[in-house]
Amino acid sequence: MNKKAIIIGAGIAGPILALHLKKIGFESEIFESRSEGNTKEGAFLGLTPNGLNVLKEFVDLRLLKEDYTPGSMKFFNSKGKQIAELGTAYQKQQYGVETLQLKRANLNKYARITAADAGIKIRYDKKFVCYDETNEKVIAYFADETTATGDIMIGCDGMFSELRNQLFPESSVLKYTKLISTGGYAKIPELSKPLDSIRMTFGERGFFAYSVSDKGEVWWFNNYFREQQPKPQEIEKTLKTEIQDHLADVHKNDDPLFSKIIKNSYEIIAYPIYDVPKLSHWHKGRVCLIGDAAHGISPHIGQGASLALEDTVVIAELLKSQKDYRTAFEIFQSERQPRVEKVIKSARKVGNTKTKTNPIAAWFRDRLIGLFIVKQIQELDWIYGWKYSHKE
């Protein structure tokens, strides 16, 4: 009889993990707290070659280009002068795919469709509450008073993982970074045709980035420094207007197009950025965490989804090659933790460059960023060129 995995979370990692597990003879059942019709799943995100090369085994990447922007970047200073360019054409040659930006809801949709077409059950409106273990099984309990039983349970429930809270309540407290990842969608006549890159501008008082999708929609993003952590009711009711007004003021001396984009946004997105504390363990008994649930990462270098996709490959391969789940979970953490911590460190470093500027630093940046980009392409190879090989 096949072994069964309970998977908590049907974002990108849950369905792709289930597809990997199906290949090695596991039955999987996925439980998602949100409803099936919920399409408001975050903003847009970057998918880099390391993630795309995992995804393409199951999902036709052409589907992702139905609503997307390229991942190439052009950098400008506060005077509007282009100071550098980070293209992605080399990635196609080097890795077979190139970075793109797409809406998280679309990414999740295609992953779920692919999993459902493969016969994997996805249960919606299933809010995970707690779990229990016996000598032979793990049992998940949900808010609607239903349960599920399996041989193992994998937590793919993201940065705010309830499963992590259950496993390690003493070390699961998130730390607010005083940054809010913000962005939005707008349509304005001046920007109605798709752009070939993301325009990244180091403005007089802050950073601003935007692109135009293949559908003629402006996608923009920024960071907002806020000393006080916003309360849930603020995020829901007042934070977006606060951010909109603040950013319009920050960029009032920059290209007038920025303020026009911000003021004409029909949707504003705001997510406080948190640090997930480094966990001593990603697993306990029959339960293991992957992706942001295990090693949440700030969005500054667009690696959250790609690292989670890498995790799905590794844990499935280890469950296949190892005699028992305990060994598989232990090796999974020992192999993955050094890499993800190195990426997390890189993301924090990039985030720090976006928050504050001064004239001297800007002068050096404008003159040295071209050299930095060349070096960056070389240094990113360890991230983008990832392929799994188990170390005995």
Side-chain angles (χ1 to χ4, degrees), residues 207-264:
F207 167 85
F208 188 79
Y210 73 91
S211 190
V212 183
S213 76
D214 59 317
K215 295 186 181 298
E217 187 176 43
V218 181
W219 299 5
W220 64 271
F221 60 92
N222 207 322
N223 285 320
Y224 174 46
F225 180 85
R226 194 180 199 264
E227 186 75 31
Q228 288 295 114
Q229 180 177 344
K231 297 173 182 176
Q233 60 266 32
E234 288 181 300
I235 296 174
E236 191 66 33
K237 294 180 179 179
T238 61
L239 181 62
K240 294 175 184 180
T241 301
E242 174 189 324
I243 288 171
Q244 200 168 20
D245 293 342
H246 171 81
L247 292 180
D249 178 63
V250 165
H251 296 292
K252 66 183 179 182
N253 295 331
D254 295 328
D255 187 335
L257 195 59
F258 301 169
S259 293
K260 190 166 187 179
I261 291 170
I262 294 164
K263 289 176 180 177
N264 286 278

Side-chain angles (χ1 to χ4, degrees), residues 2-64:
N2 290 345
K3 291 183 178 179
K4 180 179 177 181
I6 299 169
I7 296 174
I8 306 298
I12 182 58
I16 299 302
L17 173 62
L19 289 161
H20 281 298
L21 292 178
K22 184 179 175 69
K23 286 169 52 182
I24 65 169
F26 267 76
E27 176 193 354
S28 295
E29 195 168 5
I30 306 172
F31 296 86
E32 169 59 46
S33 63
R34 286 170 287 197
S35 63
E36 187 171 3
N38 184 347
T39 58
K40 298 290 183 182
E41 298 181 77
F44 45 89
L45 74 165
L47 264 186
T48 52
N50 49 318
L52 289 165
N53 278 323
V54 174
L55 193 63
K56 73 180 184 183
E57 180 178 350
F58 304 108
V59 176
D60 184 345
L61 298 187
R62 290 174 296 183
L63 295 171
L64 304 184

